[in-house]
Amino acid sequence: MAAYDKSDLERRMAGAVDSLRHDLGGLRTGRASVNLLEPVTVEVYGASMPLNQVATVSAPEARMLSVQVWDRSNVGPVDKAIRSAGLGLNPIVDGQNIRLPIPDLTEDRRKELAKLASSYAEKARVAVRNVRRDGMDALKADEKKGEIGEDERKRREGEVQKLTDATIADIDATTGAKEKEILGK
């Protein structure tokens, strides 16, 4: 068992929140976001590459994404990759540029996305609780080894709990804001 390291616990909890923010960034709201195309991979040059390595993605308007493909021979594979990514987008090819109008979300789709956001949040909460458990176990081990006394262990457990509560509050606030954005409220 590793010795108690508060900065390691803080780093791991912050990592769970960062991961949640990344996951939520990929969820489609009514607005165009370049993050929407992050999961898209394109089959080019005999390899599977992320879209951002073969094209520039921008959001020129609130309901439009623009994909500027660098190599003309990759326009077809990029178009195919976007269509098969399951994002519900219909690419319009215009030379080396691909326009992606963002359709309005149906009420059912909004509810599905809000549920997905909740599941991402729960995954982050579980990760934070696991970090908390590791911290508590490390403190008990340190006490057993005689490195710290019972009072010190209890004080540090309080610190770990405060850190956990603050991180979970951050997760809930982040998710709440995203759900509001998705549901258009």
Side-chain angles (χ1 to χ4, degrees):
M1 189 83 216
Y4 171 73
D5 180 358
K6 184 178 177 189
S7 63
D8 181 55
L9 295 180
E10 287 170 346
R11 182 187 56 73
R12 288 170 57 198
M13 286 188 187
V17 175
D18 290 345
S19 177
L20 170 69
R21 287 200 174 109
H22 182 269
D23 288 346
L24 291 178
L27 286 183
R28 199 173 107 203
T29 58
R31 301 198 43 201
S33 163
V34 294
N35 296 345
L36 184 58
L37 296 177
E38 232 169 62
V40 177
T41 55
V42 187
E43 290 293 325
V44 287
Y45 311 121
S48 192
M49 299 173 83
L51 180 63
N52 63 7
Q53 290 184 8
V54 293
T56 305
V57 180
S58 61
E61 300 167 32
R63 294 207 171 283
M64 177 78 69
L65 283 176
S66 173
V67 179
Q68 180 70 46
V69 184
W70 302 327
D71 182 348
R72 189 176 287 283
S73 66
N74 292 338
V75 173
V78 168
D79 177 41
K80 183 178 165 203
I82 293 170
R83 286 181 194 279
S84 62
L87 298 169
L89 299 174
N90 234 348
I92 301 166
V93 178
D94 179 16
Q96 279 183 252
N97 203 20
I98 298 175
R99 292 193 319 271
L100 299 163
I102 307 292
D104 283 335
L105 293 172
T106 63
E107 194 57 35
D108 288 345
R109 184 70 178 133
R110 287 179 188 274
K111 286 178 180 153
E112 278 176 37
L113 289 172
K115 271 188 194 149
L116 191 56
S118 297
S119 74
Y120 287 159
E122 188 51 37
K123 194 171 77 174
R125 283 188 208 99
V126 167
V128 167
R129 288 187 200 112
N130 287 339
V131 173
R132 174 188 173 275
R133 187 195 61 227
D134 291 349
M136 296 298 195
D137 289 350
L139 286 170
K140 287 179 184 138
D142 286 352
E143 184 187 13
K144 252 188 190 139
K145 286 187 235 161
E147 291 173 14
I148 58 172
E150 184 182 353
D151 293 344
E152 182 67 12
R153 177 184 56 85
K154 285 185 176 170
R155 186 184 67 74
R156 288 185 180 173
E157 280 179 350
E159 283 177 5
V160 172
Q161 189 57 50
K162 262 191 199 142
L163 181 62
T164 304
D165 293 344
T167 307
I168 288 188
D170 189 13
I171 287 170
D172 292 344
T174 302
T175 308
K178 187 66 177 188
E179 285 175 347
K180 239 187 218 168
E181 190 184 329
I182 289 169
L183 297 171
K185 292 180 179 159

